[in-house]
């Protein structure tokens, strides 16, 4: 039981490049989330998927797209990376909605130059 | 105004001290409340949920005041291993279960 896994752990991109961050959970959770964390800003929700087949925007969705591939997997895509997207990205999952504990992956540290 | 506000600290305390963190939230529709702990460069992990009647888990006590929209965390007999950032988290129940995180309060416990 690996919990929530994320790949890659580290990534450096040049401005304008694209990439996809992968997230998978093996806890049979319904809801999955993508956050970014910047110094002094706390965690901010980018997108979330309350259940398989649905996705919704969070607080800071601009410049990102997501895909809930199946119940286990939720990917985050940067189509044209910008330096403002330099951040630590966390994926999380929970049983159902926000009333329960969210389990986080180890994070992806992304630098855009 | 941020939806969840915390004193960023840092709080520097000696081992054995009692330390209290405060948090306020702005949305009166908030339904669930949590404290998460985040160690340096690691993912956040649930420390404890916060219930209306207040709750205790060992050296940790959480309180909720819905009327004042205020949450607190008290840590007694601080240990070196308590050094971390503590995140106040609120669930806005009518928004599909999204969690809103405060920016965190940094705690450093010194020998």
């Amino acid at each position: 039981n690996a919990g929530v896994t994320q790949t890659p752990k580290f990534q450096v991109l040049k401005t304008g490049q694209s990439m996809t961050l992968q997230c998978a959970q093996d806890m049979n959770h319904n809801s999955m989330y993508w956050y970014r964390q910047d110094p002094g800003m706390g965690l901010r929700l980018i997108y979330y998927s309350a259940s398989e087949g649905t996705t919704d925007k969070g607080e800071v969705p601009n410049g990102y797209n997501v895909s809930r591939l199946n119940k286990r997997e939720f990917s985050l895509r940067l189509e044209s990376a910008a330096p403002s997207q330099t951040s630590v990205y966390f994926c999380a999952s929970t049983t159902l909605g926000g009333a329960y504990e969210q389990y986080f992956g180890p994070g992806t540290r992304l630098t855009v130059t | 105004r941020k939806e969840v506000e915390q004193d960023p600290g840092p709080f520097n305390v000696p081992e054995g001290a009692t330390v209290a963190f405060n948090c306020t939230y702005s949305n009166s529709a908030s339904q669930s409340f949590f404290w998460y702990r985040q160690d340096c460069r690691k993912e956040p992990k649930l420390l404890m949920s916060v219930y209306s009647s207040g709750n205790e888990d060992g050296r940790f006590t959480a309180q909720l005041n819905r009327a004042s929209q205020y949450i607190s965390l008290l840590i007694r007999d601080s240990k070196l291993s308590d050094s971390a950032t503590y995140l106040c988290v609120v669930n806005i129940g009518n928004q599909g279960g999204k969690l809103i995180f405060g920016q965190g309060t940094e705690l450093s416990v010194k020998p």
Side-chain angles (χ1 to χ4, degrees), chain A residues 49-68:
Chain A
S49 172
S51 60
E52 189 178 355
T54 69
T55 60
D56 286 285
K57 294 178 180 179
E59 182 185 355
V60 288
N62 290 345
Y64 305 95
N65 285 300
V66 291
S67 295
R68 183 74 183 266

Side-chain angles (χ1 to χ4, degrees), chain A residues 10 33 35 37 40-43 45 48 50 57-58 90 97-102 104-107 109, chain B residues 2 32 34 36 38 40-46 49 87 91 95-104:
Chain A
F10 300 93
Y33 306 80
Y35 297 90
Q37 186 173 35
M41 298 292 291
L43 280 96
L45 183 64
Y48 68 106
K57 294 178 180 179
F90 288 103
Y100 303 97
E101 176 180 2
Q102 287 196 2
F104 285 79
R109 283 158 181 77
Chain B
K2 292 181 181 176
S32 305
F34 309 90
Y36 277 68
Q38 186 174 26
C40 186
R41 300 177 70 80
K42 297 285 186 70
E43 69 272 24
K45 293 185 179 179
L46 181 69
S49 300
L87 305 170
N91 165 232
Q95 294 187 23
K98 295 190 295 186
L99 295 185
I100 309 297
F101 285 77
Q103 74 270 40

Side-chain angles (χ1 to χ4, degrees), chain B residues 1-17:
Chain B
R1 181 185 173 190
K2 292 181 181 176
E3 290 195 75
V4 179
E5 294 205 61
Q6 297 179 248
D7 181 343
F11 283 53
N12 296 303
V13 302
E15 268 188 295

